[in-house]
Amino acid sequence: MGTRDMSGAPVEMPKGTASVAGTVNSGEGHPMRRASVRVTASSGGGRTTMTDDQGNFEVRDLPAGEF
């Protein structure tokens, strides 16, 4: 779950209190399990997670900002 800058060095996002959650479905409406979801901040950095068996995901502890 790491983010890297242009040189390849790890970049840590500050922790916050916001979260992003949702469900990933196929074009036919079926839940997509083990889909990779990336939340990227407009200021740089981001976090990646995987969906569960029902296609649900949640990324917690995001700092204030635009994603």
Side-chain angles (χ1 to χ4, degrees), residues 29-67:
H30 303 291
M32 300 287 293
R33 70 181 191 99
R34 296 185 52 178
S36 178
V37 177
R38 179 156 179 82
V39 177
T40 305
S42 60
S43 61
R47 300 221 179 104
T48 303
T49 191
M50 301 284 282
T51 60
D52 64 15
D53 288 341
Q54 290 77 43
N56 301 312
F57 70 92
E58 183 174 19
V59 180
R60 299 180 186 183
D61 299 324
L62 294 169
E66 295 181 17
F67 291 87

Side-chain angles (χ1 to χ4, degrees), residues 3-35:
T3 299
R4 300 194 177 270
D5 68 13
M6 296 300 284
S7 72
V11 174
E12 282 295 320
M13 287 182 58
K15 279 195 169 189
T17 58
S19 64
V20 175
T23 304
V24 177
N25 292 311
S26 70
E28 294 83 33
H30 303 291
M32 300 287 293
R33 70 181 191 99
R34 296 185 52 178

